[in-house]
Amino acid sequence: MSSGVAAAPRAKKLVRSPSGLRMVPGASAPRSPFGLVATVCFLSPAIPRLSWELRERECPRCMQCDAKFDFITRKHHCRRCGKCFCDRCCSQKVPLRRMCFVDPVRQCAECALVSHREAEFYDRQLKVLLSGATFTVTFGNSEKSETMVCRLSNNQRCLILDGDSHCEIEVAHISTVQVLTEGFAPGEKDTHTYSVLESQPASKGGNARATGMFLQYTVPGTEGEAQLKLTAGEDANTSRRQATAWLVAMHKAAKLLYESRDQ
Ligand SMILES: [Zn+2]
Ligand SMILES: [Zn+2]
């Protein structure tokens, strides 16, 4: 069995930044794939304050309403996008867990909207992913399938599948997430493809119910891509509900990862 837990470096530490307290991974600890790197230098205590002050001079007006900054109209930075705004255009304080802030921080209207959406992921879906669910798992083109519990690892970096066999897939190595759904109308079938690396989701919305998931991923040291299929059990009991919730949460996670590629 793995003894990785005992050898793990200190997972997190509390850091005081000019924008507020942040709970960040220790220097040697791996980062969560859901985390965002701060886009502006003033978030990093490692960069000298001088460069922040230089940056201050470069932005004389609010980037939203064009108000000129002066002694009364003070400049504020959105903690998420790093752009300069007046108080009115950057007044919302919203949790920003992806940048490890402990308390809600000031964000512009556009970023606040995105962060609100993500807060739901952290408050609900992430917990579902961590607690896991039971699936019928088929690897590659194998004829055989296996009942396994699939969950996100505590450091959020791996999907862990446990059954008669054990398998770990790095979230960062997943290239395609395809949610298999079934509409509520009998016989109506639908597929939501969500390719993390390749394309936008073919999202249809509606009352479709997630019944399974197809994952494509790379395995370090091997050529090409591996794939597996998760199918929720057919029995209409708690574990089925749990599996459906897990699939929905994984779909949200894939969206989050996809969107953050451009940030
Ligand atoms: Zn403004
Ligand atoms: Zn912003």
Side-chain angles (χ1 to χ4, degrees), residues 78 81 85 108 111:
C78 168
C81 65
F85 300 95
C108 70
C111 290

Side-chain angles (χ1 to χ4, degrees), residues 3 19 49 52 63 83 85 141 153 158 161 173 177 192 201 205 228 249 257:
S3 60
S19 306
R49 192 163 175 78
W52 182 22
M63 293 171 89
K83 294 176 185 165
F85 300 95
N141 299 319
S153 64
C158 291
L161 291 100
H173 294 160
V177 175
H192 287 213
L228 68 82
L257 294 173

Side-chain angles (χ1 to χ4, degrees), residues 20 32 47 55 61 96 121-122 127 136 138 147 151 183 204 212 244 249 256:
S32 161
I47 294 171
R55 191 179 272 262
R61 289 173 182 276
L96 185 47
F121 173 78
Y122 279 92
K127 286 178 188 139
T136 304
T138 316
T147 301
R151 67 181 176 87
K204 276 191 162 182
T244 306
L256 221 69

Side-chain angles (χ1 to χ4, degrees), residues 7-134:
R10 265 194 74 82
K12 286 178 175 178
K13 63 178 181 186
L14 200 59
V15 171
R16 189 177 298 277
S17 83
S19 306
L21 287 176
R22 303 174 74 210
M23 184 65 88
V24 298
S28 52
R31 274 168 39 85
S32 161
F34 299 107
L36 287 178
V37 179
T39 47
V40 279
C41 62
F42 70 87
L43 291 176
S44 166
I47 294 171
R49 192 163 175 78
L50 179 65
S51 51
W52 182 22
E53 284 162 359
L54 280 175
R55 191 179 272 262
E56 289 277 296
R57 266 180 254 156
E58 283 167 13
C59 179
R61 289 173 182 276
C62 171
M63 293 171 89
Q64 181 67 38
C65 72
D66 211 35
K68 195 171 183 338
F69 297 127
D70 55 27
F71 232 62
I72 295 155
T73 310
R74 305 305 294 261
K75 183 189 299 189
H76 299 277
H77 289 88
C78 168
R79 278 4 178 211
R80 184 170 182 127
C81 65
K83 294 176 185 165
C84 309
F85 300 95
C86 70
D87 177 60
R88 218 170 39 125
C89 297
C90 192
S91 59
Q92 298 192 61
K93 291 210 168 177
V94 185
L96 185 47
R97 306 257 268 284
R98 296 188 78 182
M99 287 190 186
C100 307
F101 283 109
V102 174
D103 301 310
V105 288
R106 195 184 274 273
Q107 293 175 54
C108 70
E110 205 176 309
C111 290
L113 214 65
V114 180
S115 295
H116 268 304
R117 245 191 0 240
E118 288 175 359
E120 195 203 323
F121 173 78
Y122 279 92
D123 291 338
R124 297 176 53 190
Q125 277 94 26
L126 190 58
K127 286 178 188 139
V128 172
L129 289 174
L130 291 169
S131 60
T134 306

Side-chain angles (χ1 to χ4, degrees), residues 126-255:
L126 190 58
K127 286 178 188 139
V128 172
L129 289 174
L130 291 169
S131 60
T134 306
F135 294 97
T136 304
V137 182
T138 316
F139 289 95
N141 299 319
S142 169
E143 303 274 292
K144 260 180 37 192
S145 57
E146 192 179 329
T147 301
M148 298 178 106
V149 172
C150 185
R151 67 181 176 87
L152 187 68
S153 64
N154 287 336
N155 65 10
Q156 304 170 10
R157 289 180 59 89
C158 291
L159 285 185
I160 301 176
L161 291 100
D162 264 314
D164 288 338
S165 60
H166 175 88
C167 170
E168 291 186 14
I169 300 165
E170 277 237 31
V171 172
H173 294 160
I174 297 175
S175 55
T176 305
V177 175
Q178 191 176 56
V179 182
L180 311 167
T181 61
E182 194 174 68
F184 283 138
E188 184 193 321
K189 293 222 171 190
D190 185 19
T191 303
H192 287 213
T193 302
Y194 202 94
S195 180
V196 177
L197 291 176
E198 285 146 23
S199 66
Q200 286 282 3
S203 174
K204 276 191 162 182
N207 277 337
R209 186 180 57 187
T211 55
M213 182 168 276
F214 174 78
L215 294 178
Q216 243 174 332
Y217 55 97
T218 53
V219 181
T222 62
E223 296 254 327
E225 293 200 310
Q227 36 193 261
L228 68 82
K229 193 176 147 191
L230 305 172
T231 314
E234 285 303 313
D235 48 334
N237 57 20
T238 329
S239 78
R240 169 65 193 252
R241 251 203 319 274
Q242 214 172 346
T244 306
W246 197 91
L247 292 170
V248 169
M250 189 60 203
H251 191 197
K252 288 247 165 115
K255 276 192 200 174

